[in-house]
Amino acid sequence: MIQISKTIKQERLRRGMTQEAIAEFLNTTKTTISKWENATLYPDITMLPKLAKVFNISVDKLLNYNINMTDEEIKKISISLSKMINRTSYDEYLSTVRDYYISHCNEFKFLNSLLGILSNNILYCEDKTQIKDTTILAHEIVKTTEDNSESIYLKRHAQGYQTLMYMFEGDYSSVIENTPDFDLKIGENATLTLAYLQKENVSKAKNVIQTDMYQSLMIYMHDFALMITFGLYSVSLESLESKLYHLNKAFNVDYLYPHLSINCYYQFALYYAKKSDIKAIEYLEKYCQCFDYLVTDFVYQKDEFFDAIEEWLDTLPLGERLPANYENTLNTICSRILENEYFNTLDNFETIKNNLLRIYNKKDEG
């Protein structure tokens, strides 16, 4: 990746030069130099020899060209794009993503990160045209990855994002055609763990097995919430309540995955809103607790059982930060309770309402 902004600032400071002095030599403005150093603007190609002469270095050194982006660079850009959606129009945000894709089309790990950002923020589309533009760009990125990346891992991830795009397009036939009903799981992570143990690398073995369990449990919670939401179960709802209760006892899932547990409690509260005010309020209180976890720390949580997943978190585009928009997620979680007519008539709902608003307002305190 070209890091010319960093180089310009480093070389200027190393020589004790001000931005004004550089600007005067190049016949430009201090504002332009500032933008170069902040990477909000890049020098015109005709400026490169002049800049190199000022610093008495070669153009190659000035460009400081690296083949691969670092994980830190990917994470920084990903977080920036994730936050950008709240500060600008969707079209401008999408244009920025497209520019990054064009300028880094051979950085396949970064392209996977862009696909994740597009998938997370597509809900901000205001019309079908924006959805179409987003999915077209995503499909282009997927094809670039499939055609050029040598990593099976990155290709598989890109194809997973493509499946999500089919869903957003409403192309359910493509989802079905490109996704097996049952994927054979052969325990690669367990095998890898054993291999690390044979090499006496206990630290890596611990990291791999914990990460596999953590992700598997997270997927289970996601599927469990889907099962409850869409009635995809054959046992009683009371039986599902018991399963979630014991799952919490065993793995503390409310704390680890509050963004998933909260959906279960919402469905349980809806179910009891027509049967028992006491039970409905009980589940709304659990809902509030999960909400509190999210407002306080919008991250992948760790505990004493999962204490060796940092290495995995460091590989994620957003690090430990959850891959969703903070403001939008909190607004949705709060409003779907406050605006629900079934909950508003419950005894003691005023207490739930006040608690929700108190928790919601904590986001502005940090």
Side-chain angles (χ1 to χ4, degrees), residues 253-362:
V253 292
D254 285 0
Y255 175 75
L256 292 175
Y257 317 109
H259 57 298
L260 299 175
S261 286
I262 203 168
N263 295 323
C264 298
Y265 292 134
Y266 176 74
Q267 294 301 325
F268 288 152
L270 273 180
Y271 174 77
Y272 280 111
K274 305 171 187 177
K275 298 175 177 291
S276 168
D277 284 18
I278 294 176
K279 288 284 286 184
I281 291 296
E282 176 186 327
Y283 280 116
L284 287 177
E285 288 173 348
K286 293 179 181 294
Y287 186 100
C288 288
Q289 177 61 75
C290 291
F291 187 38
D292 200 355
Y293 289 143
L294 282 174
V295 172
T296 304
D297 293 299
F298 200 72
V299 299
Y300 288 109
Q301 298 285 4
K302 303 176 290 292
D303 62 9
E304 66 278 1
F305 185 84
F306 294 107
D307 64 348
I309 62 172
E310 287 292 342
E311 190 173 335
W312 166 64
L313 292 174
D314 286 340
T315 69
L316 301 179
L318 302 180
E320 65 177 12
R321 187 176 180 274
L322 290 177
N325 184 275
Y326 181 72
E327 291 286 344
N328 183 59
T329 300
L330 299 189
N331 288 337
T332 300
I333 288 174
C334 194
S335 63
R336 73 173 174 177
I337 298 299
L338 298 181
E339 298 172 7
N340 190 298
E341 60 183 26
Y342 295 111
F343 297 148
N344 277 286
T345 59
L346 295 173
D347 288 340
N348 296 324
F349 179 71
E350 194 66 25
T351 302
I352 296 295
K353 178 181 177 180
N354 292 336
N355 197 20
L356 268 177
L357 292 174
R358 176 188 62 79
I359 295 169
Y360 179 79
N361 289 330
K362 284 170 62 176

Side-chain angles (χ1 to χ4, degrees), residues 12 39 48 54 63 85-86 97 115 140 160 169 172 189 199 222 231 245 249 256 260 266 268 277 281 318 327:
R12 177 178 66 79
L48 299 183
V54 172
L63 294 176
I85 200 74
N86 286 323
V97 175
L115 287 170
E140 288 179 13
E169 291 173 301
Y172 307 122
N189 292 98
K199 290 287 189 178
H222 182 267
Y245 171 80
K249 281 287 187 179
L256 292 175
L260 299 175
Y266 176 74
F268 288 152
D277 284 18
I281 291 296
L318 302 180
E327 291 286 344

